[in-house]
Amino acid sequence: MTDIAISKLGKAFGGNRVVSDVTMHIRSGEFVAVLGPSGCGKTTLLRLIAGFERPDAGSVRFAGELASSATHHTPPEKRDLGIVFQNYALWPHMSVAENVGYSLKVTGVPANERERRVAEALKTVALDAMAERRPSDLSGGQRQRVALSRCLAARNGIVLLDEPLANLDVHLRAAMEHEFTRFHQASGSTMVYITHDQSEAMALADRVAVMDAGRLVQFAAPSTLYREPATEMVAGFIGEGIVLPAEDIVADGDGRAHASILGSPVQLRCAPGERARRRAAIGLHPQDIRLATANERGLSARIRRLSYRGGSFRAEAVSEAAPETVLAFDLPEQAPLAPGAAVSLAIGDGWVIPALAA
Amino acid sequence: MTLAAAGFARERPKRGLSIATETWVLGALGLFVIGLSFAPLLRLVFTAIAPDGWPDASRLGEVLGTRQVLAATVNTLRVALLSTLVSLIGGTLAATLVALTDMRGKSVWVFAFILPLMIPPQVSALAWVQAFSPSSPILGLLGLSLPAGARHPLYSEAGIVLLLGIYNSPLVFLTVRAALRRLPAELVEAGQAAGASQARLLFTIILPLARAGIFAGAALTFVSAIGNFGIQAMLGIPARFPTLITLIYQKLNSFGPSALADMAILSMLLAVLTIGGITLAGWLGSRRDVRVDGSARPLMLRLGRWRLPVELFAWSVLVATLVLPLSALITTSLVRGFGQELTLATLTLQNYTSALFRQAAIREGFLTSLWLTTTTALVLTAVSILLGYFLTWHRSGFVRVLHLAGELAYALPGIVIGVAMILFFLKPLPLTGFSIYGTVWIILAAYLASFLALSLRSTLGGFAQVDRSLEEAARVAGAGFLRRMRDIVGPLVAPAAAAGAIIVFMSALNEIQSSILLVSSKAKTLGPMVVFLEEGGSSTLAAAVGCLMVAAVLVLMLTASALSRFLPRGVLPWQN
């Protein structure tokens, strides 16, 4: 069992708090993505877990055993974890096989077992033919697979991935995402995947931890993040989210609520404990907005911009009542609308973002 | 059982061991640098300001106030300033030609232009002295011999200024070339668009923009001129023209009870002048014009019909300053007696066989030097890789202090280090009752202190090219500190470290200043040999030893050049 228990972790660089009060429990064998805009502290979190940085406060435990705290520090070389670095960090002076087998050599695994495990790991990522090549002779995708097989051969209980797709071409990314899933299934390792790309995070992870300004904002399954964002930041960040102000929220006790958005009545989802509120922020997605039918009382807006998305148009409309509110939604290709056209919009779904805990 | 569970079942090594290794290594590095570079210099300052154990400025004032010291200080500053002017003109002209024009055969020319800087100054001085002596084999050949019995023209202040100026020109060349290379082509093209001629461009736009580099080069040259013992001693002592550095050397010969304390005071004066010059160089170098931080597209002025005359001029300068003196040296080394004409009848290899085999003292000098320089290069390479690791990836106040101490020991004239070593190691080492003074070990200590910065600079250049994640990946693979250094970091910085080792080897082989103070009957090195032989009247033998040293330098430079495709740009100064 290699779970990671992070408790109240904090780290500052010269008075600048980069990670503050992060608490999360990553279950053994889980695939967790840490997602956030650049500068949110996700890379520092990874370096704290890896042991490259020492925390100022809080602790990190692997399988119950203390690895990091303000007073205790297990150096990275004693943590038994694997890292896939953004630039792969393959040693240029060693062959592919030597790269993959290095950690086994260091820990004193006998030569014949080492060779067997290296061959096995390279076979898993379909690089067995490249074993004697130098890293410089490989393509970007192949280097990435060598980095992965390095963790496979070491049989690390924990594997950390630091934006591993950032340096790859778009067409390679999909293939590599598949490779990560396969790796996760083959190794059963606990995986922590750092990324700023939400589609990667949503596609790969069992749970996603969203970070903002050094804090853990929400840690939940991808669909929960999408449907039930905990804060306005998450609501706006995930899935082209739109945050709208609503008034007169009345919860009916079973997770449904009704309210008024820019003067139009809407049906919403909310947390079970939600109470009646005068004002709230609502999180929704372009998929939740459509043109109102003739007998619906819609929200009047004006189309500001249309961009073709292949098969449909993405429309940006500005509310007549509040011109600073931009509503994005999809229009079918056949619908003939021009910028400047007046439309009536209906909101089909939305999530009442919980009030900030006092 | 999943793979993960199997992995985790792997036995965990005991904790805490690796922290200990790193701390240990850092402590040892600290002891090495502080013990060899910092402590002896501290001892020197202490002796200078507190000769009897408590602060006493009276002696300081007494020594600094003597006419002899005042005259030597004035002389030192005069030759340093005047020779800086010579270097400034020569170096800037050379840098302009190489960096900005379409002159042909640049790489060979640059190699030959930098070469004098790599030759020991005492050998250079010897070559010049022989070339211009009344019985010069070269001038004689050209029919230009000076009248016999005339005073040697180079045994004068002008001679020292000329030789120092020529010797240090490559220093100005290097900094100015670097400044010119940073110059964005747009600024010059804008001037061209405004209709300026090429000469006008050079004087109104290019050189003013490169002035930070020119001034920094001038300050460096000034420092180097103050501390150039070889030329000042070879020319200044026969000319009875005392400078600070020769005064310190001569004090040692008149060893009295107060000599050491006086040497310490003079060394401190020399150190203060040097540090002043370096501070000035650093300040000037950092005052970079913001407008020149553009895209550095190489710019090229066309020489047009002037190309051939300019090339002829550039090469004839090299003939006059390099080929002429060196051929005098070679000629002298091949005849039996100084002044003899070189013909088939007089040609002999006797001087070389004497130097290498027959003269026990010279042979031992070669062997001792070889042993010392090899040891210095190897030890410093290891120290530089370890210190470079901490400086690059685990910077702390402590390692910065070590870096500074190393740079300081390198910047100070070797004679200052020599005096500091004598003062520090004169008394027996604690616990052993054994004094290394007078043995080969004190010379080794001086070399290790003097050349650490040289090896470190090159190695740091190598570290700058290594991505840190390569080392971090080795950490997560479970490799401890020493293992990482051996398997990962060492091989990755090896080319740069090797280049550093070659440069250290070359500098230590040529070293004269601390050696000349520290050599004894038990331990002789090659550097001062030329001076001793020339002083003793064995000019032909001195010439042979000098030629052998130049040959060794050439071999080392070419070896390092062969490594150059593995090296970061700028590690080898003589490459264009």
Side-chain angles (χ1 to χ4, degrees):
Chain A
M1 298 294 286
T2 320
D3 62 319
I4 307 173
I6 297 169
S7 167
K8 296 186 173 150
L9 202 63
K11 175 76 185 169
F13 290 114
N16 183 17
R17 292 219 68 80
V18 182
V19 168
S20 42
D21 200 27
V22 169
T23 298
M24 61 197 286
H25 181 245
I26 299 168
R27 294 188 282 266
S28 181
E30 194 176 19
F31 194 139
V32 164
V34 177
L35 174 67
S38 63
C40 72
K42 55 187 190 300
T43 298
T44 306
L45 180 67
L46 175 124
R47 294 179 66 81
L48 283 164
I49 298 174
F52 293 132
E53 308 287 352
R54 290 157 172 264
D56 309 325
S59 63
V60 177
R61 289 172 187 276
F62 298 144
E65 202 172 332
L66 184 62
S68 277
S69 75
T71 53
H72 172 89
H73 184 76
T74 307
E77 54 268 38
K78 302 284 165 59
R79 293 196 174 202
D80 184 32
L81 40 77
I83 299 187
V84 176
F85 289 86
Q86 188 169 358
N87 60 2
Y88 327 125
L90 301 183
W91 299 300
H93 60 297
M94 296 185 185
S95 71
V96 166
E98 284 169 329
N99 262 283
V100 174
Y102 184 67
S103 68
L104 305 181
K105 200 170 163 186
V106 168
T107 37
V109 173
N112 51 357
E113 197 200 331
R114 196 163 75 219
E115 276 161 34
R116 191 179 54 72
R117 271 165 70 174
V118 169
E120 197 179 272
L122 283 175
K123 205 166 175 175
T124 312
V125 296
L127 279 179
D128 32 349
M130 306 277 181
E132 296 314 316
R133 299 271 185 97
R134 295 267 155 176
S136 53
D137 299 333
L138 304 183
S139 70
Q142 287 170 333
R143 288 180 202 181
Q144 183 69 268
R145 273 147 55 197
V146 175
L148 273 178
S149 61
R150 200 153 62 175
C151 302
L152 264 181
R155 297 183 182 167
N156 296 118
I158 297 171
V159 174
L160 310 177
L161 303 101
D162 183 15
E163 307 230 16
L165 298 182
N167 288 342
L168 287 185
D169 292 339
V170 179
H171 67 273
L172 260 175
R173 290 191 185 187
M176 283 314 300
E177 282 182 17
H178 176 62
E179 200 77 45
F180 291 139
T181 313
R182 272 190 354 136
F183 174 86
H184 187 222
Q185 283 160 358
S187 67
S189 305
T190 307
M191 293 178 57
V192 181
Y193 186 105
I194 305 289
T195 181
H196 66 274
D197 182 329
Q198 54 167 300
S199 62
E200 267 170 48
M202 307 278 268
L204 289 167
D206 299 323
R207 282 196 292 165
V208 177
V210 181
M211 285 188 71
D212 185 34
R215 292 180 179 277
L216 178 62
V217 189
Q218 189 170 10
F219 185 29
S223 68
T224 312
L225 286 184
Y226 186 83
R227 291 176 54 81
E228 300 172 4
T231 68
E232 288 186 38
M233 182 264 160
V234 177
F237 189 64
I238 301 289
E240 302 178 285
I242 302 166
V243 179
L244 294 178
E247 292 168 339
D248 303 323
I249 297 91
V250 180
D252 55 15
D254 61 351
R256 308 285 316 167
H258 52 268
S260 156
I261 295 180
L262 301 171
S264 311
V266 285
Q267 282 290 323
L268 301 168
R269 288 172 291 108
C270 67
E274 192 67 67
R275 281 178 301 194
R277 271 196 279 165
R278 181 88 183 85
R279 292 173 198 282
I282 306 300
L284 59 151
H285 301 276
Q287 290 73 24
D288 300 327
I289 302 177
R290 57 179 171 77
L291 290 175
T293 54
N295 48 8
E296 257 177 326
R297 194 179 134 207
L299 199 155
S300 38
R302 198 168 284 280
I303 304 283
R304 191 175 66 175
R305 210 162 77 92
L306 282 174
S307 52
Y308 187 54
R309 291 282 176 102
S312 67
F313 281 98
R314 168 58 51 87
E316 276 175 28
V318 186
S319 153
E320 299 272 11
E324 71 280 6
T325 311
V326 177
L327 303 156
F329 62 101
D330 293 325
L331 275 175
E333 192 161 356
Q334 301 81 0
L337 273 178
V343 288
S344 175
L345 297 176
I347 291 175
D349 192 20
W351 165 254
V352 181
I353 297 167
L356 283 178
Chain B
M1 192 164 75
T2 65
L3 292 176
F8 211 74
R10 175 175 106 191
E11 199 190 335
R12 291 179 147 219
K14 285 205 173 55
R15 274 180 189 164
L17 211 75
S18 124
I19 303 177
T21 321
E22 282 176 49
T23 319
W24 233 94
V25 170
L26 200 55
L29 285 174
L31 209 64
F32 180 89
V33 178
I34 305 261
L36 288 178
S37 301
F38 199 65
L41 288 172
L42 212 63
R43 181 78 181 80
L44 174 84
V45 174
F46 186 74
T47 309
I49 59 173
D52 303 312
W54 54 86
D56 177 12
S58 62
R59 183 76 196 143
L60 196 70
E62 213 172 287
V63 171
L64 295 181
T66 56
R67 276 180 87 118
Q68 191 193 25
V69 172
L70 275 176
T73 310
V74 170
N75 284 345
T76 301
L77 291 174
R78 274 175 64 116
V79 293
L81 283 171
L82 291 172
S83 72
T84 299
L85 212 60
V86 175
S87 306
L88 210 51
I89 295 166
T92 308
L93 200 61
T96 311
L97 280 181
V98 166
L100 300 179
T101 71
D102 55 352
M103 185 175 97
R104 284 164 293 191
K106 279 181 196 168
S107 33
V108 183
W109 194 84
V110 168
F111 187 91
F113 187 74
I114 305 278
L115 180 64
L117 192 62
M118 305 292 155
I119 296 175
Q122 65 275 23
V123 174
S124 270
L126 178 69
W128 279 89
V129 166
Q130 295 187 344
F132 285 93
S133 78
S135 51
S136 162
I138 295 297
L139 291 183
L141 224 59
L142 300 171
L144 294 172
S145 303
L146 299 155
R151 191 185 151 103
H152 195 292
L154 289 177
Y155 288 157
S156 63
E157 182 180 2
I160 299 176
V161 167
L162 180 73
L163 252 61
L164 281 176
I166 292 172
Y167 191 80
N168 287 327
S169 291
L171 284 178
V172 177
F173 168 81
L174 289 172
T175 52
V176 176
R177 184 181 64 174
L180 290 175
R181 281 189 173 154
R182 281 196 303 267
L183 213 70
E186 293 88 346
L187 290 176
V188 177
E189 283 161 1
Q192 277 168 330
S197 70
Q198 296 207 336
R200 208 187 171 98
L201 280 178
L202 184 64
F203 290 106
T204 59
I205 297 182
I206 297 171
L207 291 181
L209 281 173
R211 65 175 182 271
I214 296 175
F215 291 156
L220 266 181
T221 305
F222 176 76
V223 167
S224 163
I226 289 179
N228 191 319
F229 177 76
I231 291 173
Q232 292 185 31
M234 291 286 280
L235 304 183
I237 293 175
R240 300 186 184 285
F241 180 81
T243 55
L244 274 178
I245 206 162
T246 53
L247 202 59
I248 297 173
Y249 170 58
Q250 285 171 318
K251 285 265 177 201
L252 185 78
N253 292 343
S254 57
F255 214 115
S258 63
L260 264 181
D262 291 359
M263 283 168 79
I265 291 171
L266 294 179
S267 296
M268 207 171 72
L269 180 59
L270 196 59
V272 167
L273 291 181
T274 306
I275 292 170
I278 286 166
T279 315
L280 193 66
W283 183 67
L284 291 173
S286 66
R287 275 188 359 148
R288 210 165 279 152
D289 195 321
V290 280
R291 283 169 303 169
V292 301
D293 285 332
S295 67
R297 193 147 33 99
L299 92 185
M300 200 58 82
L301 299 179
R302 252 169 272 290
L303 292 168
R305 64 201 165 90
W306 289 100
R307 180 144 97 165
L308 194 64
V310 166
E311 283 164 355
L312 285 176
F313 170 73
W315 282 101
S316 55
V317 167
L318 285 190
V319 168
T321 59
L322 179 69
V323 179
L324 189 74
L326 276 186
S327 51
L329 192 70
I330 295 170
T331 312
T332 306
S333 75
L334 291 174
V335 294
R336 245 171 251 279
F338 183 61
Q340 209 169 32
E341 211 175 319
L342 180 63
T343 62
L344 271 179
T346 54
L347 177 75
T348 174
L349 288 176
Q350 178 196 305
N351 295 313
Y352 288 94
T353 52
S354 291
L356 288 172
F357 309 109
R358 257 179 270 144
Q359 295 249 1
I362 304 180
R363 196 183 57 220
E364 270 166 34
F366 267 107
L367 290 177
T368 311
S369 272
L370 205 61
W371 177 90
L372 274 172
T373 46
T374 311
T375 312
T376 305
L378 290 179
V379 171
L380 287 184
T381 304
V383 168
S384 295
I385 293 177
L386 292 170
L387 196 55
Y389 170 87
F390 288 104
L391 274 170
T392 313
W393 290 324
H394 293 277
R395 250 182 128 76
S396 64
F398 180 63
V399 292
R400 255 181 259 207
V401 167
L402 297 187
H403 190 190
L404 201 69
E407 286 287 338
L408 183 70
Y410 173 65
L412 291 178
I415 208 155
V416 176
I417 300 293
V419 173
M421 288 295 164
I422 294 177
L423 291 167
F424 191 66
F425 287 115
L426 196 54
K427 291 207 184 109
L429 294 174
L431 306 178
T432 58
F434 166 73
S435 168
I436 67 169
Y437 179 69
T439 70
V440 70
W441 299 104
I442 194 169
I443 306 180
L444 182 65
Y447 286 3
L448 290 174
S450 297
F451 300 125
L452 172 62
L454 215 47
S455 155
L456 191 59
R457 280 180 197 173
S458 173
T459 309
L460 282 174
F463 269 102
Q465 289 194 322
V466 175
D467 194 287
R468 188 175 183 182
S469 63
L470 292 174
E471 192 256 343
E472 289 178 339
R475 287 197 86 168
V476 297
F481 179 71
L482 293 177
R483 177 104 203 202
R484 291 200 302 278
M485 295 309 287
R486 195 192 72 191
D487 293 352
I488 309 292
V489 179
L492 290 176
V493 300
I502 290 175
I503 294 173
V504 166
F505 191 90
M506 218 149 69
S507 310
L509 198 63
N510 295 342
E511 212 287 331
I512 175 167
Q513 305 196 14
S514 31
S515 314
I516 208 164
L517 291 188
L518 301 175
V519 288
S520 64
S521 54
K522 281 181 286 177
K524 283 199 174 62
T525 66
L526 201 51
M529 197 68 77
V530 173
V531 178
F532 294 152
L533 288 172
E534 176 75 5
E535 276 178 352
S538 321
S539 291
T540 54
L541 206 50
V545 173
C547 284
L548 287 170
M549 290 172 80
V550 173
V553 165
L554 263 176
V555 167
L556 289 168
M557 279 172 81
L558 292 171
T559 310
S561 293
L563 268 175
S564 65
R565 80 193 163 89
F566 304 105
L567 296 175
R569 199 183 152 114
V571 164
L572 301 180
W574 56 84
Q575 288 222 310
N576 189 32

